[in-house]
Amino acid sequence: QGLVLARDAAARGLPLADAAKALAAAQPRHLFLDTAVGLEEVLERELHSLGIPGEAQQYHGGLSITAEESSLWRIALGSRVVEAVRQQAGKSFSAPFISTLRNHVDSIRWADFLWFTTKPVASHIRVTTESSRLYHTKLIENCVWAVMEEQRESFMRGRLQHVSDSEFYGGPPQGLLPQPTVHVELRNDVCQLSVSATDDLHRRAFSWHAQHEAYDEEYDESGQSRAPLGEAHAAAFVLRSP
């Protein structure tokens, strides 16, 4: 289907770059749909109601699904139970040693997930480890960051050969969004890398109004909602109501 879209774009006289973007958008990608623990089945039913194709696999606190980019945006815009969407970055791999982790992280083309500029990589790296030989989260974070920074330097050296100095050192494009969060999950020496595909989803506009007598602000200093019921649980109750 992706090849058909790319050929159709080329037949309509679109530039090669646009045809390549159409092909990339149609490529299936593995997504992790995070929600509150216990709402996995509710989220799966919601995906069916939204007409999202593909068979979802449950994990603790979410679902994984293979889908095209169009499904990613439909989930982000239409789902009320999902709290965050992450895209898989490479397949899971065994990482009992830091050298193994580094080799596998370096095998991923991070320019496909991050936008490289003249400044060092600024992505937040979130590490979780459970029952693994590698347990020092800061060591893992530094390893992943170092690999991404090396790729950024190599990418920018190559770019410098094709653009003028003024364009290269002119700074990032206007309106550039913050870098996505990179997730590193280690369980039983098996590592899974993923990148945030969305920011925080579905913060209720009415929760402050309902709580204004008890709280001065809707969210506390850490960004957590002060409402006694989270957005995902509230949506799940509505979905289960007759």
Side-chain angles (χ1 to χ4, degrees), residues 1-27:
Q1 184 180 0
L3 185 59
V4 172
L5 290 174
R7 287 175 176 172
D8 179 65
R12 287 186 281 114
L14 294 179
L16 182 60
D18 291 341
K21 289 180 181 179
L23 177 60
Q27 293 300 313

Side-chain angles (χ1 to χ4, degrees), residues 11-53:
R12 287 186 281 114
L14 294 179
L16 182 60
D18 291 341
K21 289 180 181 179
L23 177 60
Q27 293 300 313
R29 59 206 66 201
H30 197 71
L31 305 176
F32 299 105
L33 313 178
D34 296 330
T35 187
V37 175
L39 299 184
E40 296 88 352
E41 292 185 2
V42 178
L43 175 57
E44 187 170 5
R45 290 196 296 271
E46 185 187 47
L47 293 183
H48 288 308
S49 68
L50 292 173
I52 303 298

